[in-house]
Amino acid sequence: MERSSLNTLLVYRKSLALRDLSEAVASYFAHNREMLSFRQIDSFRDDITKSLVTDALLITKEVEQAALSNSHSVRMKSLSFVNVMTRNILAYCNGLERDGVKEKEYLNLLRREIKTFRITFKKWRKSISNRND
C-alpha cells in the first residue's frame, strides 16, 4: 500500500477520529492548558491527559506502519502495539473518572469511540495478518 492511499482505509480514518477526540478530551480535562506542548506536568490529571494524547498519536502511527509495511513481523508488532494502546486509553478514562472528573459523558464518548475503533481494527487486523509478504 502507498502512503497516499492511507485515507481510503477505514481503520486509518477511525484512528484519526480517535486521535482528534482524545486530544479534545485531554485538552478539556487538563489542569495545565499547555500540556499538549509537553512541558512540565503539574498534576496526576495532566499526566493522564498527556499519556492519553501520546497513545492516541501512537495508534495512528502504528496503523500507518502496519498498513505500509511489507514485513509480516513488523505488521504483527504494530498490531499488537495498537491493542495495548487501546487498552491504555480505556484505563486513562477510568483514571480520569477516579480523579474526580464530573463530565463523565465526555469519557463515555471516548470509550464509545474506542469501541468502534476496536471493531474496525479487529476486522482489518484479520485481513492484514493473512496478507502474504
Side-chain angles (χ1 to χ4, degrees), residues 15 75 107:
S15 75
R75 284 194 308 265
L107 297 177

Side-chain angles (χ1 to χ4, degrees), residues 56-103:
L57 288 169
L58 289 172
I59 287 172
T60 299
K61 288 181 181 181
E62 291 297 326
V63 166
E64 182 178 334
Q65 183 172 339
L68 297 175
S69 178
N70 290 326
S71 168
H72 180 73
S73 63
V74 169
R75 284 194 308 265
M76 292 302 105
K77 183 178 178 185
S78 291
L79 296 175
S80 176
F81 194 68
V82 169
N83 279 328
V84 171
M85 295 300 105
T86 55
R87 283 192 308 266
N88 286 352
I89 290 175
L90 290 173
Y92 301 145
C93 288
N94 293 338
L96 286 168
E97 199 167 2
R98 287 187 188 108
D99 193 49
V101 166
K102 293 184 183 358
E103 299 88 348

